[in-house]
Amino acid sequence: MPTVTMTVNGKAVTGEVEGRTLLVHFLRDKLHLTGTHVGCDTAQCGACTVHLNGKAIKSCNMLALQAEGAEITTIEGLAQNGTLHPMQEAFRDNHGLQCGFCTPGMVMAAVSLVKGKSNLSDDEIRHGLDGNICRCTGYHNIVKAVKAGAQAMGGK
Amino acid sequence: MHNFAFHRPTSVADAAKAIGAASDGKFVAGGQTLLPTLRQRLAEPSDMIDLSAIAELKGIKVEGDGITIGAATTHTEVANSADVKKTIPALAHLASLIGDHQVRQRGTIGGSIANNDPAADYPAAVLGLGATIRTNKREIKADDFFKGMFETDLAEGEIITAVHFPKPEKAGYEKFRQPASRFALVGVFVAKTGGGIRVAVTGAGPGVFRSKELEAALGGNFTADAAKGVKISANGLNGDLHGSPEYRASLVSTLAARATAAAS
């Protein structure tokens, strides 16, 4: 079986995978990083969003072998030394979730979306989160959370 | 998804060798269409040849009187490129409307046009601007490249390396999005070029096509009103639960008018 090597949440990892193994399955089944969710399995819902070299992508729509040599960040890698990332904190403060299933993907997409932009309009946030589906909240508090998170991140 | 052998060449020459050696190989670039296709078992390649580690396929450069985009350049890179925004703003705008944030960071221009989905955005820009598709074997004019639904002029194993877009005097793109798939229910690219007006329509028919009626109307008078007045025949246009052929026909002139008004 082929092997793949990448950096996940700052740690070098190597694993055996099949050609067809999706990145999301490598993360969940081999590395037990189950914060990254499989929602629709058709690359529509965004629950599987992780960062590939700092950019949000859908890990159900990429082969593990395509991530050879890449830096991957999952939801587990956002908090630093027990302190939540400002975007995670903003989701908590604004109650930007109900059941929580879509939340890891929402947070990862939001962090990528607001990079370099501390002031986004509601419209920009709503369009920017096109690739993430939530079936509980009606999105209002998610938009509030992303706005607050973007301000807290200060354009970083 | 059925299993396959995976290859990750670092040069176009090695990619061509790998597909030549495979019994039923497929190239994958961003994979934003191909991976869902494999998961539905609509394709079962013996070998997947990943083009994403080939540096020579990436990047955007101003070349002569236009812009050249490497085949493995992502939609986000095109949408955010200062060179594209300055030279052909309509092209950057089009790239910013494809799929969603995550899809745009993986999907590539080469993958989009090689796949030639009848509702994809990029074919409209390639045909509308009269671009040239460069491959590892030759150059192909946009007018000769798109052959109908999911069909192109590419030969087996031929690899798109770049697309060259000549700078138009003015161009615009407007799209009516199918909200679930984010593809174009209809998208219209209008361009005023040195060689005349070009209007390319995606989403409405079985493949991207030029509208002679709109080109004639805009040739005399490049205004939104001129486009709006053109009656498009519904004959041969797509009809499905999202819109009848008549609805799509109406969208073609409406979007052409909006694209003309927005053209810069």
Side-chain angles (χ1 to χ4, degrees), chain B residues 112-147:
Chain B
S112 170
I113 64 174
N115 186 48
N116 193 20
D117 188 297
D121 296 283
Y122 262 129
V126 171
L127 189 61
L129 289 165
T132 302
I133 293 98
R134 295 182 183 159
T135 78
N136 58 337
K137 301 202 167 118
R138 59 191 168 134
E139 296 202 338
I140 310 168
K141 295 255 173 257
D143 286 310
D144 303 323
F145 183 81
F146 300 106
K147 299 289 186 192

CSV table of all heavy atoms in Angstrom, one decimal, chain B residues 112-147:
chain,number,residue,atom,x,y,z
B,112,SER,N,-11.4,22.7,-15.2
B,112,SER,CA,-12.8,23.1,-15.6
B,112,SER,C,-13.0,23.0,-17.1
B,112,SER,O,-14.0,22.5,-17.5
B,112,SER,CB,-13.0,24.5,-15.1
B,112,SER,OG,-14.2,25.0,-15.7
B,113,ILE,N,-12.0,23.5,-17.9
B,113,ILE,CA,-12.3,23.4,-19.3
B,113,ILE,C,-12.1,22.1,-19.9
B,113,ILE,O,-12.7,21.7,-20.9
B,113,ILE,CB,-11.5,24.6,-20.1
B,113,ILE,CG1,-10.0,24.4,-20.0
B,113,ILE,CG2,-11.9,25.9,-19.6
B,113,ILE,CD1,-9.3,25.4,-20.8
B,114,ALA,N,-11.2,21.2,-19.3
B,114,ALA,CA,-11.0,19.9,-19.8
B,114,ALA,C,-12.3,19.1,-19.6
B,114,ALA,O,-12.7,18.2,-20.4
B,114,ALA,CB,-9.8,19.2,-19.2
B,115,ASN,N,-13.0,19.3,-18.5
B,115,ASN,CA,-14.2,18.6,-18.1
B,115,ASN,C,-15.4,19.1,-19.0
B,115,ASN,O,-16.2,18.4,-19.4
B,115,ASN,CB,-14.5,18.9,-16.6
B,115,ASN,CG,-15.7,18.0,-16.2
B,115,ASN,OD1,-15.8,16.8,-16.4
B,115,ASN,ND2,-16.6,18.7,-15.5
B,116,ASN,N,-15.3,20.4,-19.3
B,116,ASN,CA,-16.4,21.0,-20.2
B,116,ASN,C,-17.8,20.7,-19.7
B,116,ASN,O,-18.6,20.3,-20.5
B,116,ASN,CB,-16.2,20.7,-21.6
B,116,ASN,CG,-17.0,21.6,-22.6
B,116,ASN,OD1,-17.5,22.6,-22.2
B,116,ASN,ND2,-17.3,21.1,-23.8
B,117,ASP,N,-18.1,20.9,-18.5
B,117,ASP,CA,-19.5,20.7,-18.0
B,117,ASP,C,-20.3,21.8,-18.7
B,117,ASP,O,-19.9,22.9,-18.8
B,117,ASP,CB,-19.5,21.0,-16.4
B,117,ASP,CG,-20.8,20.7,-15.8
B,117,ASP,OD1,-21.8,21.3,-16.2
B,117,ASP,OD2,-20.9,19.8,-15.0
B,118,PRO,N,-21.5,21.4,-19.2
B,118,PRO,CA,-22.3,22.4,-19.9
B,118,PRO,C,-22.8,23.6,-19.1
B,118,PRO,O,-23.3,24.5,-19.7
B,118,PRO,CB,-23.5,21.5,-20.4
B,118,PRO,CG,-23.5,20.3,-19.6
B,118,PRO,CD,-22.1,20.0,-19.2
B,119,ALA,N,-22.6,23.5,-17.7
B,119,ALA,CA,-23.0,24.6,-16.9
B,119,ALA,C,-21.9,25.3,-16.2
B,119,ALA,O,-22.0,26.0,-15.3
B,119,ALA,CB,-24.1,24.2,-15.9
B,120,ALA,N,-20.6,24.9,-16.6
B,120,ALA,CA,-19.5,25.5,-15.9
B,120,ALA,C,-19.3,26.9,-16.4
B,120,ALA,O,-19.7,27.3,-17.5
B,120,ALA,CB,-18.2,24.6,-16.3
B,121,ASP,N,-18.6,27.7,-15.5
B,121,ASP,CA,-18.4,29.1,-15.9
B,121,ASP,C,-17.2,29.4,-16.8
B,121,ASP,O,-17.4,30.1,-17.8
B,121,ASP,CB,-18.1,29.9,-14.6
B,121,ASP,CG,-19.3,29.9,-13.6
B,121,ASP,OD1,-20.2,30.6,-13.8
B,121,ASP,OD2,-19.2,29.1,-12.6
B,122,TYR,N,-16.1,28.7,-16.6
B,122,TYR,CA,-14.9,29.1,-17.4
B,122,TYR,C,-15.1,28.9,-18.9
B,122,TYR,O,-14.5,29.7,-19.6
B,122,TYR,CB,-13.7,28.2,-16.9
B,122,TYR,CG,-12.8,29.0,-16.0
B,122,TYR,CD1,-12.4,28.4,-14.8
B,122,TYR,CD2,-12.3,30.3,-16.3
B,122,TYR,CE1,-11.5,29.1,-13.9
B,122,TYR,CE2,-11.4,30.9,-15.4
B,122,TYR,CZ,-11.1,30.4,-14.2
B,122,TYR,OH,-10.2,31.0,-13.4
B,123,PRO,N,-15.8,27.9,-19.4
B,123,PRO,CA,-15.9,27.8,-20.8
B,123,PRO,C,-16.5,29.1,-21.4
B,123,PRO,O,-16.1,29.5,-22.6
B,123,PRO,CB,-16.8,26.6,-21.0
B,123,PRO,CG,-16.5,25.7,-19.8
B,123,PRO,CD,-16.3,26.7,-18.7
B,124,ALA,N,-17.3,29.8,-20.7
B,124,ALA,CA,-17.9,31.0,-21.2
B,124,ALA,C,-16.9,32.1,-21.4
B,124,ALA,O,-16.9,32.8,-22.4
B,124,ALA,CB,-19.0,31.5,-20.3
B,125,ALA,N,-15.9,32.2,-20.5
B,125,ALA,CA,-14.8,33.2,-20.6
B,125,ALA,C,-13.9,32.8,-21.7
B,125,ALA,O,-13.4,33.6,-22.5
B,125,ALA,CB,-14.1,33.3,-19.3
B,126,VAL,N,-13.6,31.5,-21.8
B,126,VAL,CA,-12.6,31.0,-22.8
B,126,VAL,C,-13.1,31.3,-24.2
B,126,VAL,O,-12.5,31.8,-25.1
B,126,VAL,CB,-12.3,29.5,-22.6
B,126,VAL,CG1,-11.5,28.9,-23.7
B,126,VAL,CG2,-11.5,29.3,-21.3
B,127,LEU,N,-14.4,30.9,-24.4
B,127,LEU,CA,-15.0,31.1,-25.7
B,127,LEU,C,-15.4,32.6,-26.0
B,127,LEU,O,-15.1,33.1,-27.1
B,127,LEU,CB,-16.3,30.3,-25.8
B,127,LEU,CG,-17.0,30.2,-27.2
B,127,LEU,CD1,-16.1,29.5,-28.2
B,127,LEU,CD2,-18.3,29.4,-27.1
B,128,GLY,N,-15.8,33.3,-24.9
B,128,GLY,CA,-16.2,34.7,-25.1
B,128,GLY,C,-15.0,35.6,-25.4
B,128,GLY,O,-15.2,36.6,-26.1
B,129,LEU,N,-13.9,35.3,-24.9
B,129,LEU,CA,-12.7,36.1,-25.1
B,129,LEU,C,-11.9,35.6,-26.3
B,129,LEU,O,-10.9,36.2,-26.6
B,129,LEU,CB,-11.8,36.1,-23.8
B,129,LEU,CG,-12.4,37.0,-22.7
B,129,LEU,CD1,-11.7,36.7,-21.4
B,129,LEU,CD2,-12.4,38.5,-23.0
B,130,GLY,N,-12.3,34.5,-26.9
B,130,GLY,CA,-11.5,33.9,-28.0
B,130,GLY,C,-10.1,33.5,-27.5
B,130,GLY,O,-9.1,33.8,-28.2
B,131,ALA,N,-10.0,32.8,-26.4
B,131,ALA,CA,-8.8,32.4,-25.8
B,131,ALA,C,-8.1,31.3,-26.6
B,131,ALA,O,-8.7,30.7,-27.5
B,131,ALA,CB,-9.0,32.0,-24.4
B,132,THR,N,-6.8,31.0,-26.3
B,132,THR,CA,-6.1,29.9,-26.9
B,132,THR,C,-5.7,28.9,-25.9
B,132,THR,O,-5.2,29.3,-24.8
B,132,THR,CB,-4.8,30.5,-27.6
B,132,THR,OG1,-5.2,31.4,-28.6
B,132,THR,CG2,-4.1,29.3,-28.3
B,133,ILE,N,-6.1,27.7,-26.1
B,133,ILE,CA,-5.7,26.6,-25.1
B,133,ILE,C,-4.4,26.0,-25.5
B,133,ILE,O,-4.3,25.6,-26.7
B,133,ILE,CB,-6.8,25.6,-25.1
B,133,ILE,CG1,-8.1,26.2,-24.5
B,133,ILE,CG2,-6.4,24.4,-24.2
B,133,ILE,CD1,-9.1,26.6,-25.5
B,134,ARG,N,-3.4,26.1,-24.6
B,134,ARG,CA,-2.1,25.5,-24.9
B,134,ARG,C,-2.0,24.1,-24.3
B,134,ARG,O,-2.4,23.9,-23.1
B,134,ARG,CB,-1.0,26.4,-24.4
B,134,ARG,CG,-1.0,27.7,-25.1
B,134,ARG,CD,0.1,28.6,-24.6
B,134,ARG,NE,0.0,29.9,-25.3
B,134,ARG,CZ,0.6,31.0,-24.8
B,134,ARG,NH1,1.3,30.9,-23.7
B,134,ARG,NH2,0.5,32.1,-25.5
B,135,THR,N,-1.6,23.1,-25.0
B,135,THR,CA,-1.4,21.8,-24.5
B,135,THR,C,0.0,21.4,-24.6
B,135,THR,O,0.9,22.1,-25.2
B,135,THR,CB,-2.3,20.7,-25.2
B,135,THR,OG1,-1.7,20.4,-26.5
B,135,THR,CG2,-3.7,21.3,-25.4
B,136,ASN,N,0.3,20.1,-24.2
B,136,ASN,CA,1.7,19.6,-24.3
B,136,ASN,C,2.0,19.3,-25.8
B,136,ASN,O,3.1,18.9,-26.1
B,136,ASN,CB,1.9,18.4,-23.4
B,136,ASN,CG,1.0,17.3,-23.6
B,136,ASN,OD1,-0.1,17.5,-24.2
B,136,ASN,ND2,1.4,16.1,-23.3
B,137,LYS,N,1.0,19.4,-26.7
B,137,LYS,CA,1.2,19.0,-28.1
B,137,LYS,C,1.0,20.2,-29.0
B,137,LYS,O,1.6,20.2,-30.1
B,137,LYS,CB,0.3,17.9,-28.4
B,137,LYS,CG,0.5,16.7,-27.6
B,137,LYS,CD,-0.1,15.4,-28.3
B,137,LYS,CE,0.4,14.2,-27.5
B,137,LYS,NZ,-0.7,13.4,-27.0
B,138,ARG,N,0.1,21.1,-28.7
B,138,ARG,CA,-0.3,22.1,-29.7
B,138,ARG,C,-1.0,23.3,-29.0
B,138,ARG,O,-1.2,23.3,-27.8
B,138,ARG,CB,-1.2,21.5,-30.7
B,138,ARG,CG,-2.4,20.9,-30.1
B,138,ARG,CD,-3.2,20.0,-31.0
B,138,ARG,NE,-4.2,19.3,-30.2
B,138,ARG,CZ,-5.5,19.1,-30.6
B,138,ARG,NH1,-6.0,19.7,-31.7
B,138,ARG,NH2,-6.3,18.5,-29.8
B,139,GLU,N,-1.5,24.2,-29.9
B,139,GLU,CA,-2.4,25.3,-29.4
B,139,GLU,C,-3.7,25.1,-30.1
B,139,GLU,O,-3.8,24.7,-31.3
B,139,GLU,CB,-1.8,26.7,-29.8
B,139,GLU,CG,-0.5,27.0,-29.2
B,139,GLU,CD,-0.2,28.4,-29.1
B,139,GLU,OE1,-0.8,29.2,-29.9
B,139,GLU,OE2,0.6,28.8,-28.3
B,140,ILE,N,-4.8,25.3,-29.3
B,140,ILE,CA,-6.2,25.1,-29.9
B,140,ILE,C,-7.0,26.4,-29.6
B,140,ILE,O,-7.0,26.9,-28.5
B,140,ILE,CB,-6.9,23.9,-29.2
B,140,ILE,CG1,-6.0,22.7,-29.1
B,140,ILE,CG2,-8.2,23.6,-29.8
B,140,ILE,CD1,-6.5,21.6,-28.2
B,141,LYS,N,-7.6,26.9,-30.7
B,141,LYS,CA,-8.5,28.1,-30.6
B,141,LYS,C,-9.7,27.7,-29.8
B,141,LYS,O,-10.3,26.6,-30.0
B,141,LYS,CB,-8.8,28.6,-32.0
B,141,LYS,CG,-7.6,29.1,-32.7
B,141,LYS,CD,-7.7,30.6,-32.7
B,141,LYS,CE,-6.4,31.2,-33.3
B,141,LYS,NZ,-5.5,31.8,-32.4
B,142,ALA,N,-10.2,28.6,-29.0
B,142,ALA,CA,-11.5,28.3,-28.2
B,142,ALA,C,-12.6,27.9,-29.1
B,142,ALA,O,-13.4,27.0,-28.8
B,142,ALA,CB,-11.9,29.6,-27.4
B,143,ASP,N,-12.7,28.5,-30.3
B,143,ASP,CA,-13.8,28.2,-31.2
B,143,ASP,C,-13.7,26.7,-31.7
B,143,ASP,O,-14.7,26.1,-32.1
B,143,ASP,CB,-13.8,29.1,-32.4
B,143,ASP,CG,-14.3,30.5,-32.1
B,143,ASP,OD1,-15.4,30.6,-31.4
B,143,ASP,OD2,-13.7,31.5,-32.4
B,144,ASP,N,-12.5,26.1,-31.6
B,144,ASP,CA,-12.4,24.7,-32.0
B,144,ASP,C,-12.3,23.7,-30.9
B,144,ASP,O,-12.3,22.5,-31.1
B,144,ASP,CB,-11.1,24.5,-32.8
B,144,ASP,CG,-11.0,25.4,-34.0
B,144,ASP,OD1,-12.1,25.6,-34.7
B,144,ASP,OD2,-9.9,26.0,-34.3
B,145,PHE,N,-12.3,24.2,-29.6
B,145,PHE,CA,-12.0,23.4,-28.5
B,145,PHE,C,-13.2,22.7,-27.9
B,145,PHE,O,-13.2,21.5,-27.6
B,145,PHE,CB,-11.4,24.2,-27.4
B,145,PHE,CG,-10.9,23.4,-26.2
B,145,PHE,CD1,-9.8,22.7,-26.2
B,145,PHE,CD2,-11.8,23.4,-25.0
B,145,PHE,CE1,-9.4,22.0,-25.0
B,145,PHE,CE2,-11.4,22.7,-23.9
B,145,PHE,CZ,-10.2,22.0,-23.9
B,146,PHE,N,-14.3,23.4,-27.7
B,146,PHE,CA,-15.5,22.9,-27.0
B,146,PHE,C,-16.4,22.1,-28.0
B,146,PHE,O,-16.8,22.7,-29.0
B,146,PHE,CB,-16.3,24.0,-26.3
B,146,PHE,CG,-15.5,24.7,-25.3
B,146,PHE,CD1,-15.0,26.0,-25.5
B,146,PHE,CD2,-15.2,24.1,-24.1
B,146,PHE,CE1,-14.2,26.6,-24.6
B,146,PHE,CE2,-14.4,24.7,-23.1
B,146,PHE,CZ,-13.9,26.0,-23.4
B,147,LYS,N,-16.6,20.8,-27.8
B,147,LYS,CA,-17.3,20.0,-28.8
B,147,LYS,C,-18.7,19.5,-28.3
B,147,LYS,O,-19.2,18.5,-28.7
B,147,LYS,CB,-16.5,18.8,-29.1
B,147,LYS,CG,-15.1,19.1,-29.7
B,147,LYS,CD,-15.3,19.6,-31.1
B,147,LYS,CE,-13.9,19.8,-31.8
B,147,LYS,NZ,-14.0,20.5,-33.0
